[in-house]
Amino acid sequence: MKIAFTTKGTEWDSMMDPRLGRTEFILLYDEETSEFSHYDNRAIEHIAHGAGPKTVQKLFELNPDILITGNGPGGNAAAALRNAPIKIYIGAGEMTVKEALSAYKNGELMSF
Amino acid sequence: MADVVRKGRPNRKMKIAIASGKGGTGKTTLATNMTAYLAEEDEVVLVDLDVEEPNSGLFIKGELVHKEDKYKMIPEWEQDRCTPCGICQEVCNFHAIIQLSDQIMLFSELCHSCYACSELCPTSALPMIPQKMGEMKHYRNGNLSFVESRLDIGQEQAVPLIAQTKEYIDTHFSEKMIKFFDAPPGTSCPVIEVTKDVDFVILVTEPTPFGLHDLKLAVDTMRELNRNYGVVVNRHGIGNNDVLEYCQNENISVLAKIPNDRSIAELYSRGELVYQKIPAVKEHLIKIRDQILELKNGEAK
């Protein structure tokens, strides 16, 4: 199972980014292989509109099974994600990545 | 004074935008009163380009002479023709089109009608089709023509409607007529679209820290656009002196200081024109008009 996180850094101890469209990084964790990788999304800062669709496009390419994020997608991102086979869990915006993963495992995050 | 103005009146188009940084400073009050006053003698056009919330029409009544729906062009995805190569989402600068595996998703409210996706699609799977974005109305009351455009609910982009309304003005009114554009507040794209090619911009502000802060942004914008502009301080007497000091230090013409007066607010809130009831306001309108003509003629030399 591949899990994606919206984050402000690239480490297990990095803080989650509560935003989806404008998240600074997308961290990917592959449970089977324990492989850990990231995508730098910081270029999104400079675009005025359309951050949601653009980041969702990237998520599609990364193709995780699960996305763990904070506030949840905005209107455009939500519309785009409706077509995605990605399960979304929200409410992890104030946690570290490690905390977010264990909150997910303990069933403490809300599914979107 | 009227003689001076007549001599000075340029025999070519004169477009004046009324803008502000801060909202609620009196753009519409100035626009409606100025145009109604000028229309006592001259043919004048007032155009409400604050298409997200046009309100000049609350003060200007007239006979409806023309009405039309306004459309913008957006792409429509034809799945049968799509390969799906992904070129469309790569070339879209506005992220209005994305590719989710073999599906294409369009966000029409983000689309800027640039045609890039449509033109560059190798299989012509993205034809451009018209989408209604708003409505334009043209009224007439004696010498005064009033045109307003209103964006439909849910439409996010004011610029295409503003641009089309300005085109209507350019093609339907003589170049010799005085035209006033009531702009939206702020300094973003819609304001640029309204002011980018006018002859003069009146920046209306109030003498408060908020007013000053947003006035500076508006002045920076006008300098960037290389426009002629002057400042009208409305509700003079409230706040502090910083706006006037700023204008003096920056060598910006203060066209008028309209006093803070409860009776002006009362007339406004009843939807009435102010200058007809309060002579001092009329004096200010005359002063503003004459200075604009003077500044413009000065620039022409």
Side-chain angles (χ1 to χ4, degrees):
Chain A
M1 183 124 75
K2 258 164 90 180
I3 304 175
F5 302 84
T6 59
T7 67
K8 288 182 181 295
T10 58
E11 310 288 333
W12 276 114
D13 289 325
S14 300
M15 288 304 291
M16 293 285 289
D17 196 324
R19 302 165 301 173
L20 193 155
R22 293 192 183 275
T23 185
E24 291 183 33
F25 295 92
I26 299 169
L27 242 63
L28 275 174
Y29 175 59
D30 190 325
E31 281 189 310
E32 274 101 74
T33 60
S34 294
E35 206 180 301
F36 200 53
S37 60
H38 70 265
Y39 170 74
D40 188 340
N41 196 44
R42 284 176 293 182
I44 207 87
E45 209 182 301
H46 305 293
I47 74 165
H49 304 283
K54 184 160 168 59
T55 301
V56 169
Q57 166 100 56
K58 190 32 101 178
L59 273 170
F60 246 77
E61 290 164 17
L62 299 171
N63 197 26
D65 302 288
I66 285 170
L67 170 69
I68 298 176
T69 183
N71 301 335
N76 286 336
L81 282 165
R82 231 167 268 141
N83 296 326
I86 304 174
K87 277 207 184 123
I88 304 165
Y89 291 88
I90 60 170
E94 304 298 318
M95 303 175 184
T96 64
V97 180
K98 205 191 279 174
E99 289 164 352
L101 182 63
S102 77
Y104 159 70
K105 299 240 171 195
N106 296 332
E108 290 162 16
L109 298 179
M110 234 195 322
S111 89
F112 180 79
Chain B
M1 191 170 275
D3 284 338
V4 176
V5 173
R6 283 194 186 288
K7 270 182 236 153
R9 187 187 301 148
N11 197 25
R12 64 173 183 93
K13 64 178 172 185
M14 172 103 185
K15 289 180 184 167
I16 299 156
I18 301 186
S20 73
K22 187 181 173 301
T25 54
K27 285 181 298 301
T28 298
T29 309
L30 182 61
T32 52
N33 280 278
M34 180 62 94
T35 48
Y37 169 63
L38 294 178
E40 290 180 1
E41 280 191 36
D42 274 306
E43 291 254 4
V44 184
V45 192
L46 169 61
V47 192
D48 195 340
L49 292 175
D50 188 0
V51 300
E52 287 171 277
E53 40 188 1
N55 63 349
S56 291
L58 297 172
F59 304 92
I60 302 287
K61 306 289 174 229
E63 185 200 340
L64 182 67
V65 292
H66 180 69
K67 183 172 117 166
E68 66 184 62
D69 289 341
K70 289 292 188 187
Y71 295 85
K72 67 170 187 175
M73 300 301 282
I74 58 156
E76 187 177 61
W77 183 46
E78 290 187 0
Q79 187 164 11
D80 302 350
R81 305 177 139 230
C82 183
T83 45
C85 65
I87 288 177
C88 52
Q89 63 91 6
E90 278 167 32
V91 299
C92 182
N93 259 336
F94 308 100
H95 315 299
I97 186 161
I98 59 174
Q99 182 190 359
L100 307 173
S101 58
D102 63 343
Q103 297 287 307
I104 297 296
M105 246 190 119
L106 279 155
F107 297 87
S108 63
E109 68 282 8
L110 295 173
C111 175
H112 283 55
S113 308
C114 77
Y115 283 66
C117 62
S118 185
E119 295 287 328
L120 294 170
C121 176
T123 56
S124 307
L126 290 163
M128 299 295 279
I129 53 149
Q131 183 194 55
K132 181 168 176 278
M133 62 174 165
E135 188 181 63
M136 188 194 73
K137 286 176 174 168
H138 175 177
Y139 299 87
R140 192 165 175 88
N141 181 355
N143 276 336
L144 179 60
S145 294
F146 171 55
V147 177
E148 70 160 24
S149 282
R150 187 179 295 268
L151 211 54
D152 283 349
I153 290 169
Q155 290 290 328
E156 292 185 18
Q157 283 179 49
V159 170
L161 184 53
I162 292 170
Q164 286 189 30
T165 308
K166 286 178 78 179
E167 262 173 51
Y168 177 84
I169 300 299
D170 285 343
T171 50
H172 287 78
F173 294 96
S174 151
E175 285 215 330
K176 292 170 192 165
M177 279 172 82
I178 306 170
K179 299 170 187 109
F180 275 85
F181 297 149
D182 191 2
T187 49
S188 60
C189 300
V191 178
I192 312 285
E193 185 63 31
V194 174
T195 55
K196 66 182 184 189
D197 54 359
V198 297
D199 301 292
F200 195 88
V201 182
I202 302 174
L203 297 175
V204 187
T205 189
E206 58 176 36
T208 61
F210 268 147
L212 176 59
H213 177 271
D214 289 0
L215 174 66
K216 286 179 181 170
L217 297 175
V219 166
D220 288 347
T221 309
M222 291 311 131
R223 284 179 174 160
E224 188 71 32
L225 292 172
N226 207 12
R227 292 301 91 198
N228 291 310
Y229 62 95
V231 168
V232 167
V233 177
N234 193 16
R235 304 189 66 203
H236 180 58
I238 64 166
N240 58 36
N241 225 22
D242 292 352
V243 165
L244 293 173
E245 275 175 24
Y246 165 75
C247 290
Q248 196 175 9
N249 292 339
E250 295 286 322
N251 211 8
I252 297 166
S253 312
V254 175
L255 306 170
K257 292 175 267 186
I258 302 172
N260 186 45
D261 180 345
R262 189 185 164 90
S263 57
I264 294 177
E266 284 173 4
L267 287 165
Y268 172 88
S269 63
R270 283 200 296 269
E272 290 179 41
L273 291 172
V274 180
Y275 81 93
Q276 293 161 339
K277 302 269 172 67
I278 304 179
V281 169
K282 192 163 159 178
E283 293 303 313
H284 283 297
L285 295 179
I286 294 169
K287 227 174 88 185
I288 294 166
R289 175 196 66 182
D290 292 351
Q291 286 176 95
I292 292 174
L293 291 172
E294 207 175 286
L295 288 169
K296 237 200 82 58
N297 291 339
E299 159 246 346
K301 281 169 201 165

